[in-house]
Amino acid sequence: MSKSAPTTSLCRYTDTEIFYRDRNLVDELLTGDSDFVTVMMQHILGRDVPPGQKRVMNAILITMMEHGLTPSAIATRSIYMSAPENLQGAVAAGLLAVGSQFVGTIENNARLLAELVDLEGDAQAARAAGIVREHRARKAHLPGFGHHLHKPDDPRALRLLEIGEAECETPRYLTALRTLSAAVDAEFQRHITINATGATAALLGDMDIPVELMRGFAVISRAAGLVAHIAEEQRKPSGRFIWETIDKAMPFES
Amino acid sequence: MSKSAPTTSLCRYTDTEIFYRDRNLVDELLTGDSDFVTVMMQHILGRDVPPGQKRVMNAILITMMEHGLTPSAIATRSIYMSAPENLQGAVAAGLLAVGSQFVGTIENNARLLAELVDLEGDAQAARAAGIVREHRARKAHLPGFGHHLHKPDDPRALRLLEIGEAECETPRYLTALRTLSAAVDAEFQRHITINATGATAALLGDMDIPVELMRGFAVISRAAGLVAHIAEEQRKPSGRFIWETIDKAMPFES
Amino acid sequence: MSKSAPTTSLCRYTDTEIFYRDRNLVDELLTGDSDFVTVMMQHILGRDVPPGQKRVMNAILITMMEHGLTPSAIATRSIYMSAPENLQGAVAAGLLAVGSQFVGTIENNARLLAELVDLEGDAQAARAAGIVREHRARKAHLPGFGHHLHKPDDPRALRLLEIGEAECETPRYLTALRTLSAAVDAEFQRHITINATGATAALLGDMDIPVELMRGFAVISRAAGLVAHIAEEQRKPSGRFIWETIDKAMPFES
Amino acid sequence: MSKSAPTTSLCRYTDTEIFYRDRNLVDELLTGDSDFVTVMMQHILGRDVPPGQKRVMNAILITMMEHGLTPSAIATRSIYMSAPENLQGAVAAGLLAVGSQFVGTIENNARLLAELVDLEGDAQAARAAGIVREHRARKAHLPGFGHHLHKPDDPRALRLLEIGEAECETPRYLTALRTLSAAVDAEFQRHITINATGATAALLGDMDIPVELMRGFAVISRAAGLVAHIAEEQRKPSGRFIWETIDKAMPFES
């Protein structure tokens, strides 16, 4: 066994008081203008959150909340139909889609940007060009770029970058992303969009959020989106339709 | 198969635009002062949200986010230790705790209040007294009342009621909860606290949120709290300590 | 805190030995003819398992393993597409479908049978008739009877009953199910099939498996079925097809 | 959209018949001596299963089923306490632990063995020595070797290898594992145990099971083990004890 017990800095309570980190929940956090996103950021990150970062986080959470009948939403609706008494199970099922194929690309892009942020000017541009050529040479997808639907530009990405550049005091990751984007366009001789996950990676990086925590914010945002799908399912059920549609659409072949 | 396909009102998109319900995501929702909680409420509830309701929802989400090393947090930390590459799995595991024993009491309390809200004055008081006596007679716990730790009053409940009463224009559920509370104290001849789930039930009821959707907001809030536990786990791991502590604490008995 | 710690009877180990309950894993359970289903039953139920019960359990597990592109399988395939690095998440998502709408009817049927098993002959028949009339009067579905597809008889149910009647020494639940079935046919003046969940409830009941544990065997069996869906997904991916099919089939309506 | 719909080979059904792949469920699989493990293997692997492979699979499933109060079992018990109405959620939570830190090492070991199986004699020994030296040089754990508890030998691994060598006609992976083990002992000048995951990797490899499907069998086996923990929880609840123990053991530190 470990020599000494690990500790927690998240919460303590007595009969009459509850603290989130060092703040009294009732007296300091549940005030007239209390704001969930600010409290959540302070709680997760363990530091005060400047107003600009709060605005950026709101934009990120709104953007990642919803994209229609995705695999995540289909899973949630299928499970909700089967076990409507367990709403949390339907949300949990859908959240399990926050993996490598969609949201995980945030992390992959952030890792690329981390290779660039300590360089400046020509050195950064040269390293970015190298990254792009190296991906192209092995025919690898460059995370954070391209979108199968939103062309020539992902409208969400443009707005997120705009918000980030307005709010961020020292936009190191944003600058690195712009540099990488220029290298992409130069290498392919045409404009390829920065996508929403690419923009999100830069914004989270500029808030000093560790790469391995980044998808956590997608999970929170997506939880809200999936509750909306369940609310719709309660009024306009689609679970049986999804079942019958797929069962018919995929024939048996021995 | 159903005659006609179900429809969705949540999202549509083209190459250049994305809509959440009838609002353009980029132009209408990702504005300088965009607010995740407001967008989320509009999206889930399908209606505009008055500022007072937004303040109440922020208070609810903050309150349900965290309560230390609960079974939910223990599950999340145990899974995160085993599969740190799948942050979403650790959150999903913890969210599965949002069931009957803790959060589900919100719904049970809301159903009691629903029996009272259409009554007034003496009729409401009489029905409330009947509900309390009936629960006492079968030694059933009255959902929304009492707390094993926070006595004589749950400080969160008092503040939530205060916020609700300040913000809510027609506090029908809040009034019913106060009536029920008076009946509880009269029947047991001592003060028993309204707890946080009781207060939450009344606040959600007064926002016309259907009972079967109520726990969805606990799921969203708790997702944020569990991400905080994972962030702490990344810096101060406790998963192996939890394992060894429980493995030692529970002896084998044939 | 509880006065004394709870204990576990499931497993103990030293540097050189591992025990499942009171049996040495290596010396007693991993023998040449070791059988997972038998070991699993002994481990879950904490008692020896007669050969007839082993045969019945094999039949139940095989029957509940698969039924094509169900909501459970659709959820698993959707999650697997999104996070293929996380096979266990895809299975977990699909297992969350083992809820009230399908498998939960096993428990509801078992509870009805439990009302009948202590009665005999005419008294049992009278109580069964009462149960059927009472369900019909409130237009409630009678759990364990009817199938939207398999008519006039669910072939799985017939075979399971046959196996159960061959293997079970004192078929109290099976007899009660036959009595209930006769009451159903008499009340509705036509034959309504016992379905697979009804037959399963009786077989599990006659093995003295508690109602609240019954769905656990569906979970184990379904886990195997969902791994088969993932194996197929690895060779013939359908996740993107499911996504695109549903996204097209459910139009936006504001 | 894809040109043509994907197909499924797993299941088809009519009003009166159900087929698992090409076999009639009732007539061919639910026979007197029907065996879940055999049917499951045929269903997942899409081929007939020789008796020796069935015996090996039973041994593997039994071995991976249980190891006491692991993080997986702690998560299941914590969730079951919170939502006992939702047994499948408690199992799903525990299964999410089947990730990189424990079971995932099966896959890592299988990948090493795959580098060796096509070599013979001295060439295989030389490559094995190279793999060991390379891991040692970067102080990386060699997957499949060593156990923090079971020393000098993991008794499960020895028995699994014994069973595999008795049943397997062309033990290519088993031979490669023996070669790797010899290289480990030579490099470190002492005996280091092959562990249960190492042995399992070799046995699954010699059944031609793809690496990316291997953890699926751990999921099935562990599902059974977690149902046993829930059955014990129903008779001797530990969920609240786990909560209180951990809450006390991990102090708050600001």
Side-chain angles (χ1 to χ4, degrees):
Chain A
M1 178 153 347
S2 311
K3 289 304 187 308
S4 62
T7 59
T8 181
S9 310
L10 292 179
C11 184
R12 68 186 174 88
Y13 48 86
T14 66
D15 291 4
T16 56
E17 291 179 312
I18 297 166
F19 290 82
Y20 285 9
R21 295 187 177 271
D22 292 322
R23 287 183 172 92
N24 184 301
L25 167 60
V26 168
D27 296 340
E28 297 179 74
L29 300 177
L30 289 178
T31 54
D33 61 343
S34 60
D35 179 71
F36 172 63
V37 172
T38 305
V39 172
M40 172 197 102
M41 290 178 75
Q42 290 168 347
H43 198 59
I44 294 172
L45 302 175
R47 59 170 169 81
D48 284 340
V49 172
Q53 293 195 3
K54 182 201 143 186
R55 285 191 287 269
V56 170
M57 181 60 77
N58 272 283
I60 290 173
L61 294 174
I62 291 170
T63 303
M64 293 193 291
M65 189 173 79
E66 174 69 80
H67 209 273
L69 290 159
T70 57
S72 176
I74 291 169
T76 287
R77 288 172 180 251
S78 296
I79 299 304
Y80 188 73
M81 176 218 177
S82 307
E85 72 282 8
N86 293 315
L87 185 151
Q88 71 277 13
V91 178
L95 289 180
L96 290 167
V98 182
S100 63
Q101 298 306 294
F102 303 105
V103 174
T105 58
I106 294 177
E107 300 160 14
N108 297 334
N109 182 261
R111 285 192 190 95
L112 292 185
L113 299 182
E115 295 183 34
L116 299 174
V117 289
D118 291 333
L119 304 173
E120 284 181 31
D122 290 352
Q124 189 176 73
R127 181 82 193 90
I131 288 172
V132 176
R133 280 196 304 268
E134 180 269 326
H135 277 75
R136 190 180 194 186
R138 56 183 175 90
K139 296 183 199 291
H141 174 75
L142 191 70
F145 291 87
H147 196 281
H148 72 287
L149 178 74
H150 299 301
K151 298 172 188 168
D153 272 307
D154 184 331
R156 302 166 298 176
L158 296 186
R159 177 54 56 90
L160 287 173
L161 294 173
E162 199 174 45
I163 293 171
E165 280 157 359
E167 302 290 357
C168 185
E169 289 176 24
T170 54
R172 299 166 64 238
Y173 278 79
L174 282 164
T175 301
L177 182 62
R178 294 291 193 188
T179 302
L180 191 60
S181 175
V184 166
D185 290 4
E187 173 70 22
F188 290 91
Q189 306 251 12
R190 63 187 167 88
H191 177 58
I192 295 178
T193 188
I194 297 173
N195 59 36
T197 54
T200 301
L203 297 181
L204 292 172
D206 275 329
M207 289 193 272
D208 292 324
I209 291 175
V211 170
E212 65 269 23
L213 191 59
M214 286 183 176
R215 75 170 72 178
F217 297 94
V219 168
I220 297 165
S221 165
R222 178 54 56 104
L226 293 173
V227 171
H229 281 269
I230 289 171
E232 182 164 283
E233 199 71 13
Q234 291 177 343
R235 292 186 320 260
K236 302 193 283 185
S238 72
R240 183 164 289 274
F241 174 81
I242 292 171
W243 179 11
E244 291 172 347
T245 300
I246 296 304
D247 194 32
K248 276 197 183 171
M250 284 177 60
F252 180 84
E253 180 182 48
S254 98
Chain B
M1 178 152 350
S2 310
K3 290 305 187 306
S4 62
T7 59
T8 180
S9 310
L10 292 179
C11 184
R12 68 187 173 90
Y13 49 85
T14 66
D15 291 4
T16 56
E17 290 179 314
I18 298 165
F19 289 82
Y20 285 9
R21 294 186 178 272
D22 293 321
R23 286 182 172 92
N24 184 301
L25 168 60
V26 167
D27 296 340
E28 297 179 75
L29 301 177
L30 289 178
T31 54
D33 61 343
S34 60
D35 179 70
F36 172 62
V37 172
T38 304
V39 173
M40 170 197 104
M41 290 179 74
Q42 290 168 348
H43 198 59
I44 294 171
L45 302 175
R47 60 171 168 81
D48 285 340
V49 172
Q53 293 195 3
K54 181 202 143 186
R55 284 191 287 271
V56 169
M57 182 60 78
N58 272 283
I60 290 173
L61 293 174
I62 292 169
T63 303
M64 294 193 290
M65 189 173 79
E66 175 68 80
H67 209 273
L69 290 159
T70 57
S72 175
I74 291 169
T76 287
R77 287 171 181 252
S78 296
I79 299 304
Y80 188 72
M81 175 216 177
S82 308
E85 72 281 9
N86 293 315
L87 185 150
Q88 72 278 13
V91 178
L95 289 181
L96 290 167
V98 181
S100 63
Q101 298 306 292
F102 303 107
V103 173
T105 58
I106 293 177
E107 299 160 15
N108 297 334
N109 182 263
R111 285 192 191 94
L112 291 185
L113 299 182
E115 295 182 35
L116 298 175
V117 288
D118 291 333
L119 303 173
E120 286 181 30
D122 289 353
Q124 189 177 71
R127 182 81 194 92
I131 288 172
V132 176
R133 279 195 306 268
E134 182 270 326
H135 276 75
R136 190 182 194 186
R138 57 183 174 91
K139 295 182 199 291
H141 174 74
L142 191 71
F145 290 87
H147 196 280
H148 73 286
L149 178 74
H150 298 301
K151 296 171 188 167
D153 272 307
D154 184 331
R156 302 168 297 177
L158 296 187
R159 176 54 55 91
L160 287 174
L161 294 173
E162 201 174 42
I163 292 171
E165 280 157 1
E167 301 291 357
C168 184
E169 289 176 25
T170 54
R172 299 165 66 237
Y173 278 78
L174 282 164
T175 300
L177 182 61
R178 293 292 194 188
T179 302
L180 191 60
S181 175
V184 166
D185 290 5
E187 173 69 23
F188 290 91
Q189 306 252 10
R190 62 188 168 88
H191 177 58
I192 295 178
T193 189
I194 297 172
N195 59 36
T197 53
T200 300
L203 296 181
L204 292 172
D206 275 329
M207 290 192 272
D208 292 323
I209 291 174
V211 170
E212 65 270 22
L213 192 59
M214 287 184 175
R215 75 169 72 180
F217 297 94
V219 168
I220 297 164
S221 166
R222 179 52 58 100
L226 293 173
V227 171
H229 281 269
I230 289 170
E232 182 164 285
E233 199 71 11
Q234 291 176 343
R235 291 187 320 262
K236 302 192 283 183
S238 73
R240 183 165 288 274
F241 174 80
I242 292 171
W243 179 9
E244 291 172 348
T245 301
I246 296 305
D247 193 32
K248 275 195 182 172
M250 285 178 59
F252 180 82
E253 180 182 48
S254 93
Chain C
M1 173 140 7
S2 309
K3 291 301 187 310
S4 62
T7 59
T8 181
S9 311
L10 292 179
C11 184
R12 69 186 173 88
Y13 48 85
T14 66
D15 291 5
T16 56
E17 291 179 314
I18 298 166
F19 290 83
Y20 285 8
R21 295 186 177 271
D22 293 323
R23 286 183 171 93
N24 184 302
L25 168 60
V26 168
D27 296 339
E28 297 179 73
L29 301 177
L30 288 179
T31 54
D33 61 343
S34 61
D35 179 70
F36 172 62
V37 173
T38 304
V39 173
M40 171 197 102
M41 289 179 75
Q42 290 168 348
H43 198 59
I44 294 171
L45 301 175
R47 59 171 169 82
D48 284 340
V49 172
Q53 293 195 5
K54 182 201 144 186
R55 285 192 286 270
V56 170
M57 181 59 78
N58 272 284
I60 290 173
L61 293 174
I62 291 169
T63 303
M64 293 193 292
M65 188 173 79
E66 174 68 79
H67 208 273
L69 290 159
T70 58
S72 176
I74 292 169
T76 287
R77 287 172 181 252
S78 296
I79 299 304
Y80 188 73
M81 175 217 178
S82 307
E85 72 282 7
N86 187 4
L87 184 151
Q88 72 277 13
V91 178
L95 289 180
L96 290 167
V98 182
S100 63
Q101 298 306 294
F102 303 106
V103 173
T105 58
I106 293 177
E107 300 160 15
N108 297 333
N109 183 262
R111 285 193 191 92
L112 291 184
L113 299 182
E115 294 183 35
L116 298 174
V117 289
D118 291 333
L119 303 173
E120 285 181 29
D122 289 353
Q124 188 177 71
R127 182 80 194 91
I131 288 172
V132 176
R133 279 195 306 268
E134 181 269 329
H135 276 76
R136 190 181 194 186
R138 56 184 175 90
K139 295 183 200 293
H141 175 74
L142 191 71
F145 290 88
H147 196 280
H148 73 285
L149 177 75
H150 298 301
K151 296 172 188 166
D153 271 308
D154 184 331
R156 301 167 299 175
L158 296 186
R159 176 55 56 92
L160 287 174
L161 294 173
E162 200 174 43
I163 293 170
E165 280 156 2
E167 300 291 356
C168 185
E169 289 176 23
T170 54
R172 300 166 64 237
Y173 279 78
L174 281 164
T175 301
L177 182 62
R178 294 290 193 190
T179 302
L180 191 60
S181 176
V184 166
D185 290 4
E187 173 70 22
F188 289 92
Q189 307 251 13
R190 62 188 167 89
H191 177 58
I192 295 178
T193 189
I194 297 173
N195 58 36
T197 54
T200 300
L203 296 181
L204 292 173
D206 275 329
M207 289 193 271
D208 292 323
I209 291 174
V211 170
E212 64 270 23
L213 191 60
M214 286 183 176
R215 76 170 70 178
F217 297 95
V219 169
I220 297 165
S221 165
R222 180 51 58 103
L226 293 172
V227 171
H229 281 270
I230 289 171
E232 182 163 283
E233 199 71 11
Q234 291 177 344
R235 292 186 319 262
K236 303 193 282 184
S238 73
R240 183 165 289 275
F241 174 81
I242 292 171
W243 179 9
E244 291 172 347
T245 300
I246 296 304
D247 193 32
K248 276 197 182 171
M250 286 178 59
F252 181 84
E253 180 183 48
S254 94
Chain D
M1 175 151 350
S2 310
K3 291 302 188 308
S4 62
T7 59
T8 181
S9 311
L10 292 179
C11 184
R12 69 186 173 88
Y13 48 86
T14 67
D15 291 5
T16 56
E17 291 179 313
I18 298 166
F19 290 82
Y20 284 10
R21 296 187 177 270
D22 293 322
R23 287 183 172 91
N24 184 302
L25 167 61
V26 167
D27 296 340
E28 297 179 74
L29 300 177
L30 289 178
T31 53
D33 61 344
S34 61
D35 179 71
F36 172 63
V37 172
T38 304
V39 173
M40 171 196 102
M41 289 178 75
Q42 290 169 346
H43 198 59
I44 294 172
L45 302 176
R47 59 171 169 83
D48 285 339
V49 173
Q53 292 195 5
K54 182 202 144 187
R55 284 191 288 270
V56 170
M57 181 60 78
N58 272 284
I60 290 173
L61 293 174
I62 291 169
T63 303
M64 293 193 291
M65 189 173 79
E66 174 69 80
H67 208 273
L69 290 159
T70 58
S72 176
I74 291 169
T76 287
R77 288 171 180 253
S78 295
I79 299 305
Y80 189 71
M81 176 217 176
S82 307
E85 71 282 7
N86 188 3
L87 185 150
Q88 71 277 15
V91 177
L95 289 181
L96 290 167
V98 182
S100 63
Q101 299 305 294
F102 303 107
V103 174
T105 58
I106 293 177
E107 300 160 15
N108 297 335
N109 182 261
R111 285 192 190 94
L112 292 185
L113 299 183
E115 295 183 35
L116 298 175
V117 289
D118 291 333
L119 304 173
E120 284 181 30
D122 288 352
Q124 189 177 69
R127 181 82 194 91
I131 288 173
V132 175
R133 280 195 305 269
E134 181 271 326
H135 276 75
R136 191 180 194 185
R138 55 183 175 90
K139 294 184 200 293
H141 175 74
L142 190 72
F145 290 87
H147 196 280
H148 72 287
L149 178 73
H150 298 300
K151 297 172 189 167
D153 272 306
D154 185 330
R156 301 168 297 177
L158 296 187
R159 176 56 54 91
L160 287 174
L161 294 174
E162 200 174 43
I163 293 171
E165 281 157 0
E167 302 290 357
C168 186
E169 289 176 24
T170 52
R172 299 166 64 238
Y173 279 78
L174 282 164
T175 300
L177 182 61
R178 293 291 192 188
T179 302
L180 192 59
S181 176
V184 166
D185 290 3
E187 172 71 21
F188 290 92
Q189 305 252 10
R190 63 187 166 88
H191 176 58
I192 295 178
T193 189
I194 297 172
N195 59 37
T197 54
T200 300
L203 296 181
L204 293 172
D206 275 329
M207 289 193 272
D208 291 323
I209 291 175
V211 169
E212 65 270 22
L213 192 60
M214 286 183 176
R215 75 170 71 179
F217 297 95
V219 168
I220 297 164
S221 166
R222 181 51 57 102
L226 293 173
V227 171
H229 281 268
I230 290 171
E232 182 163 285
E233 199 71 12
Q234 290 177 343
R235 292 186 320 259
K236 302 193 283 184
S238 73
R240 184 165 289 273
F241 174 81
I242 291 171
W243 180 9
E244 291 171 347
T245 300
I246 296 304
D247 194 32
K248 275 195 182 172
M250 284 178 59
F252 181 84
E253 180 182 48
S254 98

